[in-house]
Amino acid sequence: PITEKDVLNSVEKEKWIASMEVEKNKMIKYDVYELVVLPESVNGQKPNVIESRWVYRKKLDSKGRVIEYKSRLVAKGFTQKYGIDFLETFAPVAKAKTIRTVVSISASLNLTCYQNDVPSAFLWPELTETLFMAQPKFFNDGSGRVWRLKRTLYGLKQSPREFYKLAKEYMNSQGFVASEADPCLFTRGSGINLIIVVIYVDDFIC
């Protein structure tokens, strides 16, 4: 399905609604939002209310069979207002040559190479701005209240930047040092005890 209307008309309607429940429960678990009455002003300015939409995807196995119905709530970042909802948005991404070099080193030295992605990555970082979002479809209680976002959400302009800052903070706390040539390349130790980690958005190559 592309739209919420497609979900309601789908023969798999119950599965899609269940997958949205799973996603909403994740947001409750990570304390992503709280329901509030929209204030008249924030820092002397009229608050902006961001819209959102659901994005649907079927996860398939190697034989093309459906193993999971995935729904993700995505903020409509284009409805954010600069200076009110966000300021800085730049987030570094590992260079292609960095990834190729690390994989090449791994192959030439017969090292084990792992790739992992962080589940629900953009639900982890805390927001520094005060953001309000309209209650999403299927989960609107009709009270007229809005979500005050406590953490980042997929689609927000600052989400990649905030996730990188959180990831870098964590890597530094574990003794890893970022490279001056590529801020997404982290190393710890030396010789046979060397660990190399490359971060590409929410994917980690170790």
Side-chain angles (χ1 to χ4, degrees):
I2 302 298
T3 66
E4 289 83 1
K5 187 179 178 181
D6 293 339
V7 169
L8 295 174
N9 295 328
S10 170
V11 293
E12 299 171 307
K13 171 184 169 183
E14 299 305 321
K15 289 186 173 70
W16 289 117
I17 289 176
S19 73
M20 286 187 280
E21 287 279 4
V22 169
E23 185 68 5
K24 185 165 185 276
N25 288 337
K26 279 184 192 174
M27 289 188 278
I28 292 170
K29 177 185 174 183
Y30 295 139
D31 196 27
V32 171
Y33 70 93
E34 64 176 341
L35 265 174
V36 299
V37 175
L38 183 69
E40 290 186 9
S41 69
V42 176
N43 299 325
Q45 298 188 66
K46 184 180 178 181
N48 180 39
V49 180
I50 302 162
E51 297 293 330
S52 65
R53 60 164 295 198
W54 288 98
V55 175
Y56 308 99
R57 184 170 67 89
K58 289 180 182 178
K59 199 172 180 180
L60 309 176
D61 64 12
S62 57
K63 294 182 180 178
R65 293 174 298 201
V66 179
I67 56 174
E68 187 183 359
Y69 289 78
K70 282 195 85 152
S71 296
R72 176 162 283 161
L73 186 65
V74 178
K76 293 182 178 180
F78 60 87
T79 62
Q80 287 182 262
K81 291 184 178 178
Y82 177 76
I84 298 176
D85 302 320
F86 71 97
L87 290 169
E88 298 285 340
T89 59
F90 174 77
V93 174
K95 300 171 186 174
K97 65 175 73 174
T98 301
I99 296 170
R100 285 197 297 265
T101 302
V102 168
V103 173
S104 174
I105 290 169
S106 177
S108 63
L109 298 179
N110 198 29
L111 301 175
T112 304
C113 198
Y114 299 95
Q115 184 270 329
N116 291 288
D117 72 316
V118 179
S120 305
F122 285 2
L123 302 185
W124 287 91
E126 293 183 1
L127 274 170
T128 54
E129 300 87 0
T130 303
L131 264 70
F132 298 98
M133 191 172 82
Q135 292 188 54
K137 290 181 175 67
F138 296 109
F139 298 106
N140 192 325
D141 66 3
S143 66
R145 292 178 294 175
V146 295
W147 284 13
R148 185 184 76 80
L149 297 177
K150 298 179 179 181
R151 297 182 184 274
T152 58
L153 205 63
Y154 288 89
L156 291 179
K157 290 181 180 293
Q158 62 266 62
S159 292
R161 178 182 178 83
E162 294 301 330
F163 178 75
Y164 172 78
K165 283 164 63 179
L166 183 65
K168 184 181 179 183
E169 231 174 72
Y170 175 77
M171 296 300 287
N172 289 343
S173 75
Q174 299 302 305
F176 285 85
V177 178
S179 164
E180 290 183 10
D182 189 330
C184 292
L185 171 67
F186 294 85
T187 57
R188 187 179 77 180
S190 60
I192 61 170
N193 296 314
L194 178 66
I195 302 174
I196 303 171
V197 178
V198 181
I199 301 177
Y200 190 92
V201 190
D202 64 344
D203 282 289
F204 284 60
I205 299 170
C206 310

